[in-house]
Amino acid sequence: DQSNWTLLTDDQIARPVGDKIYRYQYVADLMQQGRYVKLDFTSDSSWTFIDEIKVLKYPQTSAPEDDGNNIAFEKIYTSSPAASSEYPDEENKLTDGWIGTEDSFNGLWVGYEGNKTAEIILDLETTQPFEQIEMNFLQNRQSGIQWPDSVKVETSADKSQWTGLFVDNMDAENADGMA
């Protein structure tokens, strides 16, 4: 009769242990401005893999990708420390527009090894307005690749005074991965 329902279980579904891509998105309440965007991520795992950083003028919707919307596309950046020589950052992989797959060996991922904080500073070349920042992280527990424990993003017009946009302590156990 669709009015009386019987609960069969209220167990939580166990998350698979396999590979996952996590797309982290920050959407601003108000338009932000900056020439530089700084991303810090901290990890206590063996490896942290990142493949693409986007700075979007307008929030991404279900509409097809618009490369004109991504103002970080093909922009230069610095990374400290440098990525591992095993999974190097060659030819600005983090802003080249190529999105990695769940295969950590496909050459699209940049790997940072060990327990550390990595800092990436994007140069947008001019002060520009934006509303959204995206970054992709890979998880492959069997290979020791985990999402970062925390992510911090800041913006600056001059690279000396920074405005914090967000700090997030990520929960890798409960994050929603994207395939």
Side-chain angles (χ1 to χ4, degrees):
D1 67 1
Q2 295 188 3
S3 62
N4 294 316
W5 294 92
T6 302
L7 177 67
L8 299 178
T9 182
D10 62 357
D11 292 343
Q12 293 187 0
I13 299 171
R15 298 185 67 77
V17 180
D19 296 346
K20 295 181 199 175
I21 298 171
Y22 180 67
R23 176 176 291 158
Y24 193 90
Q25 296 178 328
Y26 161 76
V27 180
D29 291 333
L30 301 171
M31 185 73 72
Q32 302 294 316
Q33 285 207 21
R35 174 178 175 175
Y36 301 96
V37 175
K38 179 167 56 170
L39 162 67
D40 291 324
F41 58 88
T42 303
S43 177
D44 65 3
S45 66
S46 298
W47 288 95
T48 303
F49 278 35
I50 185 171
D51 78 334
E52 191 69 18
I53 301 170
K54 294 180 179 182
V55 179
L56 304 174
K57 288 187 273 189
Y58 307 104
Q60 191 70 39
T61 62
S62 58
E65 292 279 335
D66 173 13
D67 286 337
N69 191 31
N70 179 11
I71 58 176
F73 182 66
E74 295 186 338
K75 296 296 191 258
I76 61 169
Y77 53 88
T78 59
S79 176
S80 178
S84 166
S85 60
E86 292 180 59
Y87 300 96
D89 183 7
E90 299 166 332
E91 300 178 19
N92 288 337
K93 282 185 193 179
L94 298 180
T95 58
D96 65 2
W98 288 93
I99 305 295
T101 66
E102 293 178 1
D103 177 6
S104 61
F105 299 105
N106 67 8
L108 297 174
W109 292 99
V110 175
Y112 292 87
E113 185 176 16
N115 303 340
K116 62 177 94 177
T117 296
E119 177 184 271
I120 299 166
I121 300 177
L122 294 163
D123 183 353
L124 301 175
E125 299 174 351
T126 61
T127 299
Q128 299 189 49
F130 60 88
E131 286 190 67
Q132 182 169 326
I133 297 174
E134 293 182 1
M135 61 211 74
N136 296 326
F137 296 101
L138 178 67
Q139 174 179 279
N140 180 329
R141 293 180 182 170
Q142 293 175 334
S143 298
I145 303 168
Q146 293 279 28
W147 297 315
D149 299 310
S150 66
V151 175
K152 176 180 169 183
V153 175
E154 299 172 278
T155 188
S156 174
D158 59 10
K159 219 173 170 183
S160 63
Q161 292 193 335
W162 294 91
T163 301
L165 299 180
F166 69 90
V167 176
D168 192 11
N169 294 316
M170 297 174 67
D171 182 355
E173 292 296 320
N174 296 315
D176 289 328
M178 296 185 66

